[in-house]
Amino acid sequence: MSCFKVAEKFVSINGEGPRAGEIAVFLRFCGCNLNCSYCDTRWANTSDVKYEIASAEEIVEYVKSTGVKNVTLTGGEPLLQADIARLIVLLGETGAEVEIETNGSVPLKDFVSLSPRPAVTADYKLPSSGMEKYMLTENFSYLTLRDAVKFVVGDRYDLARAEEVINKYGLINGCRVYFSPVFGKIKPAEIAEFLKERKLNGVRLQLQLHKIIWEPDMRGV
């Protein structure tokens, strides 16, 4: 039987991505293969983090009990969980709309071929994260207009690098594209001005709604 390390599970407003503003069930899994400078869920990746062991069937029953259709798999890095593909399929078979929040360093090919197919919001880690060298740009070829690439921006250099990546891989025509500020590091107005200066049609500036509605460090929201 498949079992998963679940750091927390809860219902809240989706704070970012294509379904921002909609309610969703969040399943946060333990562990990550990256160590971004601005990580706001580092607690979920520590060796002493408290978690529950749950089977795929138990997770599905929990999701069904909430009555909420959107399901967001997050972390950490959810795709590192053994047999996560089976959980994605089981959730999809119940009618859930599954979204994977992934850090951009895990191959997506096998996950986008699942049926029902999950939606993907993939990060592209920019220079200020310290993790750009781990990005798998081949993942871009598997994304569709129901998926998204999210650039978490910490400074002006990050903005310029994001523009390079967008243009090089033609992301605007292949998926949704978001710029999101590192909380407290860059003003949203600076990102908005950059979008205007560079005439970046099709790129959306998105703020993390959960950090605006609740305290920025609050868990379970």
Side-chain angles (χ1 to χ4, degrees), residues 6-14 23-28 43 62-63 66 68 70-72 74 210 214 218-221:
V6 182
E8 59 178 353
K9 60 184 189 294
F10 56 91
V11 175
S12 187
I13 295 294
N14 212 324
I23 58 171
V25 183
F26 286 83
L27 302 171
R28 186 180 306 284
W43 62 269
Y62 165 72
V63 170
T66 68
V68 175
N70 290 333
V71 180
T72 299
T74 189
H210 52 289
W214 295 282
M218 186 177 292
R219 298 183 190 178
V221 295

Side-chain angles (χ1 to χ4, degrees), residues 62-188:
Y62 165 72
V63 170
K64 288 166 63 176
S65 75
T66 68
V68 175
K69 187 175 183 180
N70 290 333
V71 180
T72 299
L73 308 183
T74 189
E77 172 49 61
L79 297 183
L80 296 179
Q81 295 287 313
D83 215 15
I84 192 72
R86 179 170 177 268
L87 176 60
I88 293 168
V89 170
L90 289 177
L91 288 168
E93 288 175 346
T94 71
E97 295 286 345
V98 180
E99 177 187 8
I100 301 168
E101 290 187 344
T102 180
N103 64 24
S105 70
V106 179
L108 293 177
K109 182 179 180 181
D110 292 341
F111 297 101
V112 297
S113 63
L114 296 174
S115 181
R117 183 194 187 279
V120 174
T121 296
D123 281 6
Y124 183 92
K125 304 298 185 184
L126 293 165
S128 72
S129 73
M131 296 289 117
E132 186 178 15
K133 65 182 179 180
Y134 299 107
M135 295 297 93
L136 299 181
T137 54
E138 56 265 34
N139 279 337
F140 294 152
S141 64
Y142 301 113
L143 301 180
T144 69
L145 292 175
R146 70 192 296 256
D147 304 312
V149 172
K150 181 180 66 180
F151 294 92
V152 179
V153 177
D155 52 34
R156 187 82 180 186
Y157 185 70
D158 279 356
L159 286 168
R161 178 60 182 149
E163 182 184 17
E164 288 179 2
V165 174
I166 289 166
N167 291 336
K168 181 176 180 178
Y169 296 98
L171 294 183
I172 297 300
N173 296 320
C175 63
R176 307 183 196 202
V177 179
Y178 297 93
F179 281 6
S180 181
V182 177
F183 193 80
K185 290 293 185 181
I186 187 172
K187 292 182 178 179

Side-chain angles (χ1 to χ4, degrees), residues 26-83:
F26 286 83
L27 302 171
R28 186 180 306 284
F29 299 95
C30 299
C32 190
N33 57 326
L34 301 183
N35 185 27
C36 296
S37 62
Y38 49 74
C39 181
D40 55 8
T41 55
R42 188 170 279 112
W43 62 269
N45 309 323
T46 60
S47 59
D48 61 349
V49 64
K50 294 181 179 180
Y51 58 85
E52 66 172 290
I53 297 290
S55 69
E57 291 75 15
E58 288 170 336
I59 292 173
V60 169
E61 285 306 309
Y62 165 72
V63 170
K64 288 166 63 176
S65 75
T66 68
V68 175
K69 187 175 183 180
N70 290 333
V71 180
T72 299
L73 308 183
T74 189
E77 172 49 61
L79 297 183
L80 296 179
Q81 295 287 313
D83 215 15

